[in-house]
C-alpha cells in the first residue's frame, strides 16, 4: 500500500473529537491506544449501519498515520476534524472487509501481534472495545524486557472460543494476510465500504 497525498488543513469539517489523538507508532504499536480504538469503533459502528453485527474489529497500527511535516508531534488536537485530517489519519485508503474467522485463527493473530511486546510494532493489532486481553510475561532481566507466555482473550465477558466462527471487521490489507497475518486470509469476506468514509461518518455521528 502506498499512501495517498493529502492536506491536513483542508475542509470541510466532518465533526469534532473531545480528546487529542496520538498517531505515533510508539503509541499505536502498544495496547490501549485511543486513536486505535477510535478507528476500530468506527469500523464496528459503520458495519452495524450496514446491517452487520460484528463481534469485534481489528486494525494494524501501521494503517494509522500522520504527516510529520504537517503535524510535527504526531498528535491530532482535540476539536474540529477536517476531511484532510481523516485522509492523513488513514493514508492508505483501505477498504473495510467483514470476515468470518475461527477463534483459533484470531488467537494466533493476537499471539503474533504481541510477538514484539513490550516494544511497539507497526504490525500490532488495535482491537475494538469488545475484545480484552490478559497476558502473562516472563521476565528475562536486563537487557531483555521479557516475553509473552500466554494470552487469554475475551469478547465481552465471554472467553474466546477457538472453535467458534467470529464476525470480524478489518481492512483489506489484513484480510489479504498483510503484516504477516496469513491466518486472516482466505476466509469468507464482504466489502462494506471505505475505512476513511467510516471514520469520517463516525466522528460526525459522535459529535
Amino acid at each position: 500500500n502506498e499512501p495517498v497525498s493529502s492536506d491536513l488543513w483542508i475542509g470541510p469539517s466532518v465533526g469534532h473529537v473531545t480528546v487529542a489523538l496520538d498517531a505515533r507508532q510508539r503509541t499505536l504499536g502498544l495496547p490501549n491506544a485511543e486513536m486505535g480504538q477510535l478507528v476500530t469503533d468506527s469500523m464496528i459502528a459503520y458495519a452495524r449501519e450496514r446491517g452487520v453485527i460484528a463481534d469485534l474489529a481489528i486494525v494494524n497500527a501501521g494503517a494509522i498515520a500522520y504527516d510529520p511535516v504537517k503535524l510535527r508531534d504526531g498528535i491530532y488536537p482535540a476539536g474540529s476534524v477536517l476531511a484532510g485530517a481523516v485522509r492523513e489519519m488513514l493514508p492508505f485508503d483501505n477498504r473495510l472487509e467483514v470476515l468470518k474467522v475461527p477463534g483459533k485463527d484470531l488467537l494466533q493473530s493476537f499471539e503474533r501481534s504481541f510477538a514484539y511486546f513490550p516494544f511497539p510494532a507497526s504490525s500490532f493489532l488495535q482491537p475494538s472495545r469488545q475484545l480484552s486481553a490478559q497476558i502473562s510475561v516472563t521476565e528475562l532481566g536486563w537487557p531483555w524486557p521479557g516475553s509473552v507466555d500466554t494470552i487469554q482473550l475475551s469478547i465481552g465477558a465471554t472467553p474466546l472460543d477457538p472453535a467458534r466462527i467470529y464476525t470480524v471487521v478489518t481492512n483489506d490489507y489484513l484480510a489479504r494476510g498483510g503484516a504477516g497475518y496469513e491466518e486472516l486470509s482466505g476466509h469468507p469476506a464482504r466489502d462494506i465500504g471505505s475505512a476513511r468514509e467510516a471514520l469520517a461518518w463516525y466522528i460526525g455521528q459522535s459529535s
Side-chain angles (χ1 to χ4, degrees):
N1 286 352
E2 292 296 327
V4 180
S5 177
S6 63
D7 189 332
L8 179 64
W9 309 117
I10 63 173
S13 174
V14 301
H16 69 271
V17 293
T18 58
V19 296
L21 299 169
D22 190 339
R24 296 171 296 181
Q25 287 298 299
R26 70 188 191 196
T27 300
L28 288 165
L30 292 172
N32 303 318
E34 188 77 33
M35 182 82 197
Q37 289 197 327
L38 174 67
V39 172
T40 52
D41 286 349
S42 77
M43 295 159 66
I44 284 278
Y46 197 70
R48 186 182 303 116
E49 185 73 5
R50 278 149 183 74
V52 177
I53 305 301
D55 295 298
L56 75 155
I58 51 175
V59 67
N60 55 305
I64 304 169
Y66 68 96
D67 187 330
V69 174
K70 301 168 186 171
L71 198 69
R72 292 185 180 180
D73 64 359
I75 300 176
Y76 293 95
S80 181
V81 178
L82 303 185
V86 173
R87 289 193 290 272
E88 294 289 356
M89 291 172 179
L90 300 176
F92 300 107
D93 199 18
N94 291 113
R95 304 292 297 176
L96 294 183
E97 302 275 349
V98 177
L99 308 180
K100 297 293 186 179
V101 184
K104 64 179 180 61
D105 290 343
L106 283 176
L107 179 59
Q108 184 178 349
S109 291
F110 278 92
E111 288 173 344
R112 194 184 306 278
S113 176
F114 277 95
Y116 298 102
F117 184 83
F119 297 111
S122 63
S123 60
F124 188 82
L125 296 180
Q126 288 288 337
S128 55
R129 300 174 195 272
Q130 289 79 6
L131 184 136
S132 59
Q134 291 184 326
I135 62 174
S136 63
V137 178
T138 297
E139 298 292 338
L140 299 180
W142 179 260
W144 299 278
S147 61
V148 174
D149 281 336
T150 61
I151 300 176
Q152 294 180 321
L153 301 178
S154 296
I155 296 178
T158 306
L160 184 83
D161 181 352
R164 180 183 161 185
I165 303 298
Y166 290 90
T167 301
V168 181
V169 187
T170 189
N171 59 35
D172 54 347
Y173 175 65
L174 289 177
R176 296 193 303 268
Y181 293 99
E182 295 91 352
E183 63 278 0
L184 294 178
S185 65
H187 298 298
R190 171 187 167 192
D191 185 305
I192 59 168
S194 161
R196 285 180 181 168
E197 289 177 6
L199 181 57
W201 170 82
Y202 183 72
I203 291 173
Q205 292 291 308
S206 303
S207 298

